[in-house]
Amino acid sequence: MEDPTMSSPHNRNVSRRGVLTRGGALAAGTALSSLGFGSAAFAAGTPRADADAIVVGSGLAGLVATSELAAAGRRVLLLDQEPEASLGGQAFWSLGGLFFVNSPEQRTAGIKDSLELARADWFNNAGFDRGVTDPLGEDYWAAKWAEAYLQFAADEKRKWLYGLGVRWVPIVGWAERGGQLADGPGNSVPRFHLTLGTGPGVMEPFEKKVREAAAKGSVTFKFRHQVDALITTNGAVTGVRGSLLEPSSAARGTPSSRTKIGEFELSAPIVVVTSGGIGGNQDLVRRNWPARLGEPPSRMITGVPAHVDGRMLAISEMAGARLVNRDRMWHYTEGMANHSPIWPEHGIRVLAAPSSMWFDATGRRFPNPGVPSYDTLGTLELIMRSGHDYSWFLLNKRIIDKEFVLSGSEQNPELTRKDLLGYLASRLLNDTPPPVKAFMDKGEDFVISNNLPDLVAGMNQLTGDNLIELEPLRRQITARDLQVDNGYTKDSQIMGIRNSLDYVGDSLARTVPLHRILDPAAGPLIAIRMNILTRKTLGGLQTDLAGRVLNAAGQPIKGWYAAGEVAGFGGGGVHGYRALEGTFLGGCLFSGREAGRAAAAETAS
């Protein structure tokens, strides 16, 4: 049912919780007046043009948009509040997964995929329900972007990237499997293609294009330029103004200084905003937390650097952009505190196959869809209903050796350096991967023991809550273990494990043969406290299919484009409520390309 507070004509620009509102406080928690700008800051005389286009944000979407503009002969200023070391933004830290439909890798593995099946999966998964047929609906353009992206993923996406030198691991991953009904959420087949080079490998061709353009003088980097306002002239966006930040030697991903040493104002007939989402700002995450999930977690860990702060969402809204689906977000439920943090409260996500048992904080096994790799949002709902902000994985060494992949370029060194043979060997040797072993040795969320009583004691000691009782936990594990001795079962998780083992890719590299959790030969036993990990903003600035930013009346604002996470990866929320995975980098690629090409066309002489 559509939320009336989000879709009513009188409330389309007002958040239910009163944040990110047109006349209220900035989303970043800073009143507009504290930035030194009143409403007059958005009106100016006809400015001189410093470039043909200004791109705000040097993440993946910004690099793609800039490369398209430069290829069309446009002069571009590429701005970012971070130092040059953080060029590429969040994409650098990603695992590099990309969603393709009916790819050669799928066909080689015997996976029968089609645009029709992918479309059904996407729309069942997204659950668009906010005015899909209403041009002023929050999901109107999001659904159109979804259709366009599916066409892209089924055809041109792989050909385009392959032509730029991007390559993939031949084993296709099966993320977000759903595990319930055919018309429910999830991927019906494996579609998660790991890029050789991980996130940096996806960035590489676009960074190269932009740097080559910079060497020729058509692109100018302006790092440490923090945009505080968009300039409008006669209803069109004509530039930006903001604060010059002091030089910073901060390493990639680490917090940089916000000390201001000056101001700037730059003008261009085109401004493209590609500034990312809110995942690094836990205050904003809590303020926009969906009411359908109850109160926000009291404790979360953070999956993106602190510079993913959401500032430009509010600044854009104050300049007249329409911000939609602000309560839709994508946070992972399998987060571990990083033993060697790079940014504040740095967490790492586990990409697990379906063998680990999943329990709430009190030791009650989750029902469907509470199975690893099945349904992130569905499991988040289960956790929030439990009354606690963490849960437990319970497994053994045999499972962790084969089934654990850690998200992030730095957690997959062979893959990041494009050592395919080394990566495949690490998956096929069935020994603990070194990054996983480092978490076992140093991770604060791990409890490891040779027997269940000691494991339970360690779990209770870790949390200090003493919520886990030994015998109820033993009964649940034993009941599960009794189901593995023949080919029949009433346990849906075991059915899922067998389904996984039927897929050659999982059988080879991701799913351990079915066995008893309490089998001493498979030990020691492992319990992992899983935390909620902030990651992606699924809503954002509403854009049409050209990437043009829309106003409250649903009309394009002249000279203004947006792409990537700040635009909900297209249209203000191409994923709806849920992501099929491999679609965040892909959304940056597609929306950045579309916005860059459309902006170049608009400025054609």
Side-chain angles (χ1 to χ4, degrees):
M1 181 176 178
E2 193 167 31
D3 185 341
T5 66
M6 300 300 288
S7 62
S8 164
H10 300 291
N11 291 302
R12 282 194 175 106
N13 292 291
V14 181
S15 167
R16 175 169 52 242
R17 294 180 183 271
V19 295
L20 303 183
T21 55
R22 182 177 299 278
L26 281 176
T30 304
L32 188 63
S33 60
S34 73
L35 293 174
F37 303 115
S39 59
F42 303 106
T46 302
R48 64 178 179 81
D50 295 296
D52 297 318
I54 295 169
V55 177
V56 180
S58 66
L60 180 60
L63 290 173
V64 175
T66 300
S67 70
E68 292 291 341
L69 284 158
R74 307 296 180 265
R75 295 179 301 116
V76 186
L77 301 178
L78 180 55
L79 279 59
D80 203 294
Q81 65 185 1
E82 294 306 300
E84 186 172 1
S86 286
L87 184 68
Q90 298 179 64
F92 178 89
W93 300 104
S94 76
L95 187 58
L98 293 172
F99 174 98
F100 296 132
V101 178
N102 192 27
S103 69
E105 291 82 7
Q106 288 175 298
R107 294 193 296 271
T108 298
I111 300 165
K112 295 182 179 180
D113 199 7
S114 68
L115 178 57
E116 180 184 23
L117 181 61
R119 182 185 291 113
D121 283 351
W122 190 291
F123 280 83
N124 289 331
N125 200 63
F128 295 123
D129 60 1
R130 294 174 176 171
V132 176
T133 61
D134 176 3
L136 289 178
E138 297 199 37
D139 280 338
Y140 180 78
W141 288 105
K144 290 185 179 299
W145 270 93
E147 185 65 51
Y149 180 73
L150 284 162
Q151 296 279 350
F152 176 63
D155 183 20
E156 189 181 0
K157 180 181 178 183
R158 189 184 182 282
K159 299 173 189 175
W160 176 54
L161 293 172
Y162 191 91
L164 294 173
V166 184
R167 299 294 184 268
W168 299 275
V169 173
I171 299 174
V172 184
W174 196 355
E176 291 295 300
R177 306 179 189 203
Q180 298 189 66
L181 299 176
D183 61 355
N187 284 295
S188 299
V189 297
R191 296 189 176 109
F192 190 81
H193 296 67
L194 278 174
T195 301
L196 277 176
T198 61
V202 178
M203 281 171 44
E204 183 179 355
F206 304 101
E207 179 180 352
K208 180 180 178 182
K209 283 174 175 286
V210 172
R211 289 196 182 277
E212 288 174 349
K216 295 175 182 177
S218 59
V219 171
T220 300
F221 291 109
K222 288 190 174 293
F223 298 104
R224 306 299 283 157
H225 281 61
Q226 179 179 266
V227 172
D228 297 326
L230 292 155
I231 301 169
T232 62
T233 306
N234 298 324
V237 171
T238 56
V240 297
R241 62 164 58 96
S243 304
L244 291 171
L245 304 180
E246 68 178 355
S248 173
S249 59
R252 182 186 291 275
T254 62
S256 62
S257 164
R258 290 293 179 264
T259 299
K260 299 175 183 179
I261 59 173
E263 297 178 346
F264 69 89
E265 182 171 316
L266 297 166
S267 299
I270 294 291
V271 174
V272 186
V273 175
T274 60
S275 55
I278 68 173
N281 186 334
Q282 288 199 14
D283 287 342
L284 262 188
V285 169
R286 289 189 172 91
R287 290 179 189 180
N288 290 280
W289 191 259
R292 64 185 178 275
L293 292 179
E295 291 299 312
S298 58
R299 178 179 181 270
M300 295 183 285
I301 55 178
T302 306
V304 293
H307 62 73
V308 187
D309 56 18
R311 292 183 76 255
M312 283 304 300
L313 283 164
I315 291 168
S316 295
E317 192 174 26
M318 293 299 294
R322 186 178 186 218
L323 178 56
V324 296
N325 297 315
R326 63 190 84 211
D327 65 332
R328 291 182 185 166
M329 50 189 74
W330 191 248
H331 304 308
Y332 291 114
T333 50
E334 317 98 321
M336 306 182 301
N338 195 343
H339 56 79
S340 302
I342 297 169
W343 53 80
E345 300 178 275
H346 187 175
I348 296 294
R349 187 213 174 184
V350 175
L351 287 77
S355 296
S356 300
M357 297 185 73
W358 207 337
F359 298 88
D360 72 12
T362 67
R364 291 190 297 263
R365 188 182 180 190
F366 283 129
N368 265 352
V371 176
S373 76
Y374 273 25
D375 181 350
T376 295
L377 184 61
T379 308
L380 180 58
E381 292 172 353
L382 292 174
I383 292 170
M384 298 314 298
R385 287 205 300 267
S386 77
H388 300 273
D389 53 20
Y390 68 94
S391 58
W392 290 101
F393 266 23
L394 202 149
L395 59 156
N396 55 41
K397 185 176 183 298
R398 187 180 295 173
I399 292 171
I400 205 171
D401 286 352
K402 188 165 186 177
E403 296 200 1
F404 267 42
V405 172
L406 304 182
S407 184
S409 55
E410 82 283 11
Q411 300 295 330
N412 294 272
E414 299 95 352
L415 194 56
T416 299
R417 63 174 179 260
K418 301 184 181 180
D419 178 8
L420 178 59
L421 291 179
Y423 174 76
L424 292 175
S426 72
R427 301 310 311 166
L428 299 175
L429 289 177
N430 293 337
D431 197 9
T432 311
V436 175
K437 183 63 164 60
F439 271 88
M440 293 174 68
D441 293 340
K442 297 183 285 186
E444 66 182 62
D445 296 305
F446 275 75
V447 180
I448 302 173
S449 178
N450 287 319
N451 61 75
L452 191 60
D454 287 346
L455 189 77
V456 168
M459 295 164 72
N460 285 326
Q461 182 178 4
L462 175 63
T463 63
D465 293 334
N466 293 317
L467 296 176
I468 307 294
E469 297 182 26
L470 172 61
E471 290 310 317
L473 186 67
R474 190 198 303 274
R475 282 197 298 271
Q476 293 173 90
I477 301 171
T478 301
R480 178 266 186 204
D481 282 357
L482 287 172
Q483 298 286 311
V484 307
D485 290 337
N486 59 68
Y488 306 97
T489 184
K490 63 181 180 181
D491 189 288
S492 60
Q493 183 172 5
I494 291 177
M495 294 177 194
I497 295 168
R498 289 181 174 142
N499 193 33
S500 185
L501 291 169
D502 281 342
Y503 165 47
V504 64
D506 273 4
S507 181
L508 283 173
R510 290 288 280 123
T511 304
V512 72
L514 190 58
H515 65 283
R516 295 185 179 221
I517 296 283
L518 296 179
D519 180 355
L525 293 170
I526 302 167
I528 309 171
R529 178 179 57 185
M530 291 296 183
N531 308 278
I532 295 169
L533 176 74
T534 67
R535 186 63 66 87
K536 295 297 181 185
T537 311
L538 297 188
L541 305 180
Q542 193 170 43
T543 59
D544 65 11
L545 286 177
R548 297 182 297 178
V549 175
L550 306 181
N551 62 19
Q555 298 301 309
I557 300 173
K558 184 174 174 56
W560 192 359
Y561 293 79
E565 190 174 354
V566 75
F569 302 95
V574 68
H575 297 93
Y577 289 93
R578 286 175 163 88
L580 286 174
E581 290 290 11
T583 56
F584 298 127
L585 292 177
C588 290
L589 292 167
F590 185 53
S591 63
R593 192 182 79 156
E594 296 304 291
R597 291 181 178 182
E602 182 176 334
T603 53
S605 57

